[in-house]
Amino acid sequence: QQQVKQSPQSLIVQKGGISIINCAYENTAFDYFPWYQQFPGKGPALLIAIRPDVSEKKEGRFTISFNKSAKQFSLHIMDSQPGDSATYFCAARGNRDDKIIFGKGTRLHILP
Amino acid sequence: NAGVTQTPKFRILKIGQSMTLQCTQDMNHNYMYWYRQDPGMGLKLIYYSVGAGITDKGEVPNGYNVSRSTTEDFPLRLELAAPSQTSVYFCASSLSIPTVNTEAFFGQGTRLTVV
């Protein structure tokens, strides 16, 4: 049973455009929502993370939007660049849990 | 800064063989994790540990074993390798429960093929 559902599976965006990746969850006990970025042949690396008491968090060109009532959160990449081409994973952790659960990932390709 | 180090990077096993995937971290982190990554399936948690001497099962523990005798090391043991265990394995660590202030760091991965 997948607890974090991520879409789309793959995404192609023109350079300079906005990339949007969405995730939905069902467990209301989740209290930590990170996004990871993974380049080919490398391990995932934390990109940005948010708590459910915050509706939006921005770090440079990367923004997490969080909708607690809808149990959805999304990653927005502004002014997308070819160097952003990677696989992105949303994830979540329960408030009494030690482990992070991952979505299935989105392969993002930015056209030059 | 070494961070999380996994060895080997690549390995081919024959069905029924066994092996140990090594993971060590030099950040004095208490929490360590083993994930496997299959194409289009994200990362699935195999086992995790919240400190030396303490381990617990994740989502997909069957066919694997772990031990945590020291803070630094968290080896993953495959007994009787099967083709279904062909995957990329990632080890991760964090100081404590991952939060917005406590990041989980991943190793570079071990690509395992069972033939």
Side-chain angles (χ1 to χ4, degrees), chain B residues 2 5 10-12 18 34-35 46 53 55 71 73 75 83 87 92 95 102 106 109:
Chain B
T5 302
F10 304 94
R11 182 72 185 267
I12 298 176
S18 61
W34 273 107
Y35 288 89
I46 304 171
T55 63
T71 299
D73 301 306
S87 187
L95 182 61
T102 308
F106 281 77

PDB file of all heavy atoms in Angstrom, chain B residues 2 5 10-12 18 34-35 46 53 55 71 73 75 83 87 92 95 102 106 109:
ATOM      1  N   ALA B   2      33.641  12.412   4.217  1.00  0.00           N
ATOM      2  CA  ALA B   2      33.235  11.181   3.584  1.00  0.00           C
ATOM      3  C   ALA B   2      31.717  11.048   3.593  1.00  0.00           C
ATOM      4  O   ALA B   2      31.121  10.621   2.623  1.00  0.00           O
ATOM      5  CB  ALA B   2      33.885   9.995   4.264  1.00  0.00           C
ATOM      6  N   THR B   5      29.323   6.124   3.194  1.00  0.00           N
ATOM      7  CA  THR B   5      30.108   5.384   2.210  1.00  0.00           C
ATOM      8  C   THR B   5      29.583   3.971   2.074  1.00  0.00           C
ATOM      9  O   THR B   5      29.434   3.256   3.064  1.00  0.00           O
ATOM     10  CB  THR B   5      31.588   5.335   2.625  1.00  0.00           C
ATOM     11  OG1 THR B   5      32.079   6.675   2.773  1.00  0.00           O
ATOM     12  CG2 THR B   5      32.415   4.615   1.564  1.00  0.00           C
ATOM     13  N   PHE B  10      29.316  -1.843  -7.384  1.00  0.00           N
ATOM     14  CA  PHE B  10      28.658  -2.763  -8.304  1.00  0.00           C
ATOM     15  C   PHE B  10      28.978  -4.194  -7.871  1.00  0.00           C
ATOM     16  O   PHE B  10      30.058  -4.464  -7.357  1.00  0.00           O
ATOM     17  CB  PHE B  10      29.158  -2.572  -9.751  1.00  0.00           C
ATOM     18  CG  PHE B  10      29.005  -1.191 -10.282  1.00  0.00           C
ATOM     19  CD1 PHE B  10      30.051  -0.285 -10.186  1.00  0.00           C
ATOM     20  CD2 PHE B  10      27.824  -0.786 -10.885  1.00  0.00           C
ATOM     21  CE1 PHE B  10      29.919   1.006 -10.685  1.00  0.00           C
ATOM     22  CE2 PHE B  10      27.697   0.498 -11.385  1.00  0.00           C
ATOM     23  CZ  PHE B  10      28.737   1.386 -11.276  1.00  0.00           C
ATOM     24  N   ARG B  11      28.003  -5.087  -8.120  1.00  0.00           N
ATOM     25  CA  ARG B  11      28.280  -6.492  -7.817  1.00  0.00           C
ATOM     26  C   ARG B  11      27.327  -7.353  -8.622  1.00  0.00           C
ATOM     27  O   ARG B  11      26.152  -7.024  -8.769  1.00  0.00           O
ATOM     28  CB  ARG B  11      28.097  -6.770  -6.333  1.00  0.00           C
ATOM     29  CG  ARG B  11      28.416  -8.196  -5.900  1.00  0.00           C
ATOM     30  CD  ARG B  11      29.894  -8.495  -5.911  1.00  0.00           C
ATOM     31  NE  ARG B  11      30.126  -9.907  -5.612  1.00  0.00           N
ATOM     32  CZ  ARG B  11      30.361 -10.386  -4.393  1.00  0.00           C
ATOM     33  NH1 ARG B  11      30.396  -9.567  -3.357  1.00  0.00           N
ATOM     34  NH2 ARG B  11      30.564 -11.657  -4.232  1.00  0.00           N
ATOM     35  N   ILE B  12      27.864  -8.462  -9.149  1.00  0.00           N
ATOM     36  CA  ILE B  12      27.027  -9.464  -9.807  1.00  0.00           C
ATOM     37  C   ILE B  12      27.096 -10.729  -8.966  1.00  0.00           C
ATOM     38  O   ILE B  12      28.181 -11.218  -8.658  1.00  0.00           O
ATOM     39  CB  ILE B  12      27.498  -9.739 -11.243  1.00  0.00           C
ATOM     40  CG1 ILE B  12      27.389  -8.462 -12.088  1.00  0.00           C
ATOM     41  CG2 ILE B  12      26.671 -10.858 -11.872  1.00  0.00           C
ATOM     42  CD1 ILE B  12      27.930  -8.601 -13.493  1.00  0.00           C
ATOM     43  N   SER B  18      25.524 -15.592  -1.337  1.00  0.00           N
ATOM     44  CA  SER B  18      25.245 -14.597  -0.311  1.00  0.00           C
ATOM     45  C   SER B  18      26.306 -13.507  -0.369  1.00  0.00           C
ATOM     46  O   SER B  18      27.388 -13.706  -0.931  1.00  0.00           O
ATOM     47  CB  SER B  18      25.229 -15.238   1.079  1.00  0.00           C
ATOM     48  OG  SER B  18      26.491 -15.812   1.362  1.00  0.00           O
ATOM     49  N   TRP B  34      18.418   1.300   5.292  1.00  0.00           N
ATOM     50  CA  TRP B  34      18.701   0.660   4.018  1.00  0.00           C
ATOM     51  C   TRP B  34      17.444   0.715   3.162  1.00  0.00           C
ATOM     52  O   TRP B  34      16.364   0.301   3.598  1.00  0.00           O
ATOM     53  CB  TRP B  34      19.111  -0.799   4.197  1.00  0.00           C
ATOM     54  CG  TRP B  34      20.567  -0.997   4.441  1.00  0.00           C
ATOM     55  CD1 TRP B  34      21.175  -1.336   5.608  1.00  0.00           C
ATOM     56  CD2 TRP B  34      21.616  -0.886   3.470  1.00  0.00           C
ATOM     57  NE1 TRP B  34      22.531  -1.429   5.437  1.00  0.00           N
ATOM     58  CE2 TRP B  34      22.834  -1.164   4.133  1.00  0.00           C
ATOM     59  CE3 TRP B  34      21.663  -0.580   2.110  1.00  0.00           C
ATOM     60  CZ2 TRP B  34      24.063  -1.145   3.487  1.00  0.00           C
ATOM     61  CZ3 TRP B  34      22.876  -0.554   1.466  1.00  0.00           C
ATOM     62  CH2 TRP B  34      24.071  -0.842   2.146  1.00  0.00           C
ATOM     63  N   TYR B  35      17.605   1.245   1.934  1.00  0.00           N
ATOM     64  CA  TYR B  35      16.527   1.294   0.962  1.00  0.00           C
ATOM     65  C   TYR B  35      16.961   0.521  -0.278  1.00  0.00           C
ATOM     66  O   TYR B  35      18.139   0.431  -0.599  1.00  0.00           O
ATOM     67  CB  TYR B  35      16.226   2.731   0.529  1.00  0.00           C
ATOM     68  CG  TYR B  35      15.549   3.587   1.562  1.00  0.00           C
ATOM     69  CD1 TYR B  35      16.291   4.320   2.485  1.00  0.00           C
ATOM     70  CD2 TYR B  35      14.165   3.698   1.606  1.00  0.00           C
ATOM     71  CE1 TYR B  35      15.669   5.127   3.425  1.00  0.00           C
ATOM     72  CE2 TYR B  35      13.533   4.499   2.539  1.00  0.00           C
ATOM     73  CZ  TYR B  35      14.296   5.208   3.449  1.00  0.00           C
ATOM     74  OH  TYR B  35      13.670   6.007   4.371  1.00  0.00           O
ATOM     75  N   ILE B  46      14.084  -1.213   3.657  1.00  0.00           N
ATOM     76  CA  ILE B  46      14.317  -2.627   3.953  1.00  0.00           C
ATOM     77  C   ILE B  46      14.434  -2.831   5.468  1.00  0.00           C
ATOM     78  O   ILE B  46      13.686  -3.593   6.066  1.00  0.00           O
ATOM     79  CB  ILE B  46      15.605  -3.121   3.266  1.00  0.00           C
ATOM     80  CG1 ILE B  46      15.543  -2.874   1.758  1.00  0.00           C
ATOM     81  CG2 ILE B  46      15.821  -4.613   3.542  1.00  0.00           C
ATOM     82  CD1 ILE B  46      16.863  -3.134   1.043  1.00  0.00           C
ATOM     83  N   GLY B  53      22.939  -1.627  18.251  1.00  0.00           N
ATOM     84  CA  GLY B  53      22.249  -2.717  18.909  1.00  0.00           C
ATOM     85  C   GLY B  53      20.746  -2.756  18.684  1.00  0.00           C
ATOM     86  O   GLY B  53      20.073  -3.679  19.149  1.00  0.00           O
ATOM     87  N   THR B  55      17.709  -2.655  15.754  1.00  0.00           N
ATOM     88  CA  THR B  55      17.306  -2.681  14.353  1.00  0.00           C
ATOM     89  C   THR B  55      15.817  -2.992  14.252  1.00  0.00           C
ATOM     90  O   THR B  55      15.236  -3.578  15.174  1.00  0.00           O
ATOM     91  CB  THR B  55      18.099  -3.725  13.543  1.00  0.00           C
ATOM     92  OG1 THR B  55      17.816  -5.025  14.061  1.00  0.00           O
ATOM     93  CG2 THR B  55      19.592  -3.449  13.600  1.00  0.00           C
ATOM     94  N   THR B  71      28.076   2.466  16.037  1.00  0.00           N
ATOM     95  CA  THR B  71      27.338   3.617  15.516  1.00  0.00           C
ATOM     96  C   THR B  71      27.642   3.841  14.047  1.00  0.00           C
ATOM     97  O   THR B  71      26.773   4.238  13.268  1.00  0.00           O
ATOM     98  CB  THR B  71      27.694   4.887  16.315  1.00  0.00           C
ATOM     99  OG1 THR B  71      27.320   4.700  17.675  1.00  0.00           O
ATOM    100  CG2 THR B  71      26.987   6.113  15.756  1.00  0.00           C
ATOM    101  N   ASP B  73      28.680   1.676  11.526  1.00  0.00           N
ATOM    102  CA  ASP B  73      28.482   0.671  10.491  1.00  0.00           C
ATOM    103  C   ASP B  73      27.094   0.033  10.548  1.00  0.00           C
ATOM    104  O   ASP B  73      26.581  -0.268  11.631  1.00  0.00           O
ATOM    105  CB  ASP B  73      29.546  -0.425  10.620  1.00  0.00           C
ATOM    106  CG  ASP B  73      30.945   0.135  10.485  1.00  0.00           C
ATOM    107  OD1 ASP B  73      31.207   0.804   9.469  1.00  0.00           O
ATOM    108  OD2 ASP B  73      31.763  -0.096  11.401  1.00  0.00           O
ATOM    109  N   PRO B  75      25.793  -2.926   8.136  1.00  0.00           N
ATOM    110  CA  PRO B  75      25.857  -3.808   6.967  1.00  0.00           C
ATOM    111  C   PRO B  75      24.519  -4.493   6.688  1.00  0.00           C
ATOM    112  O   PRO B  75      23.749  -4.794   7.609  1.00  0.00           O
ATOM    113  CB  PRO B  75      26.926  -4.830   7.383  1.00  0.00           C
ATOM    114  CG  PRO B  75      26.893  -4.830   8.890  1.00  0.00           C
ATOM    115  CD  PRO B  75      26.530  -3.446   9.299  1.00  0.00           C
ATOM    116  N   PRO B  83      16.852 -13.492  -8.090  1.00  0.00           N
ATOM    117  CA  PRO B  83      16.755 -12.447  -9.125  1.00  0.00           C
ATOM    118  C   PRO B  83      15.909 -11.251  -8.686  1.00  0.00           C
ATOM    119  O   PRO B  83      16.162 -10.124  -9.125  1.00  0.00           O
ATOM    120  CB  PRO B  83      16.111 -13.182 -10.299  1.00  0.00           C
ATOM    121  CG  PRO B  83      16.544 -14.604 -10.125  1.00  0.00           C
ATOM    122  CD  PRO B  83      16.560 -14.827  -8.634  1.00  0.00           C
ATOM    123  N   SER B  87      18.672  -4.894  -7.826  1.00  0.00           N
ATOM    124  CA  SER B  87      18.196  -3.569  -7.488  1.00  0.00           C
ATOM    125  C   SER B  87      19.397  -2.660  -7.217  1.00  0.00           C
ATOM    126  O   SER B  87      20.544  -3.090  -7.247  1.00  0.00           O
ATOM    127  CB  SER B  87      17.310  -3.642  -6.237  1.00  0.00           C
ATOM    128  OG  SER B  87      16.692  -2.399  -5.969  1.00  0.00           O
ATOM    129  N   ALA B  92      21.384   5.212   4.154  1.00  0.00           N
ATOM    130  CA  ALA B  92      21.221   6.606   4.557  1.00  0.00           C
ATOM    131  C   ALA B  92      21.417   6.724   6.056  1.00  0.00           C
ATOM    132  O   ALA B  92      21.295   5.727   6.793  1.00  0.00           O
ATOM    133  CB  ALA B  92      19.841   7.126   4.158  1.00  0.00           C
ATOM    134  N   LEU B  95      21.069  12.238  12.066  1.00  0.00           N
ATOM    135  CA  LEU B  95      21.448  12.386  13.473  1.00  0.00           C
ATOM    136  C   LEU B  95      20.346  11.850  14.385  1.00  0.00           C
ATOM    137  O   LEU B  95      20.599  11.171  15.376  1.00  0.00           O
ATOM    138  CB  LEU B  95      21.724  13.853  13.777  1.00  0.00           C
ATOM    139  CG  LEU B  95      22.177  14.159  15.205  1.00  0.00           C
ATOM    140  CD1 LEU B  95      23.491  13.443  15.509  1.00  0.00           C
ATOM    141  CD2 LEU B  95      22.324  15.661  15.396  1.00  0.00           C
ATOM    142  N   THR B 102      16.845  18.270  10.662  1.00  0.00           N
ATOM    143  CA  THR B 102      17.714  17.098  10.760  1.00  0.00           C
ATOM    144  C   THR B 102      17.625  16.326   9.449  1.00  0.00           C
ATOM    145  O   THR B 102      16.691  15.569   9.240  1.00  0.00           O
ATOM    146  CB  THR B 102      17.291  16.188  11.930  1.00  0.00           C
ATOM    147  OG1 THR B 102      17.208  16.971  13.112  1.00  0.00           O
ATOM    148  CG2 THR B 102      18.304  15.074  12.134  1.00  0.00           C
ATOM    149  N   PHE B 106      22.262  10.351   2.074  1.00  0.00           N
ATOM    150  CA  PHE B 106      22.319   9.081   1.369  1.00  0.00           C
ATOM    151  C   PHE B 106      23.718   8.805   0.840  1.00  0.00           C
ATOM    152  O   PHE B 106      24.450   9.737   0.487  1.00  0.00           O
ATOM    153  CB  PHE B 106      21.331   9.077   0.197  1.00  0.00           C
ATOM    154  CG  PHE B 106      19.919   8.834   0.599  1.00  0.00           C
ATOM    155  CD1 PHE B 106      19.164   9.839   1.183  1.00  0.00           C
ATOM    156  CD2 PHE B 106      19.335   7.587   0.408  1.00  0.00           C
ATOM    157  CE1 PHE B 106      17.854   9.623   1.569  1.00  0.00           C
ATOM    158  CE2 PHE B 106      18.017   7.359   0.794  1.00  0.00           C
ATOM    159  CZ  PHE B 106      17.284   8.366   1.366  1.00  0.00           C
ATOM    160  N   GLY B 109      25.140   4.463  -3.376  1.00  0.00           N
ATOM    161  CA  GLY B 109      24.409   3.301  -3.871  1.00  0.00           C
ATOM    162  C   GLY B 109      25.297   2.124  -4.249  1.00  0.00           C
ATOM    163  O   GLY B 109      26.473   2.293  -4.583  1.00  0.00           O
TER     164      GLY B 109
END
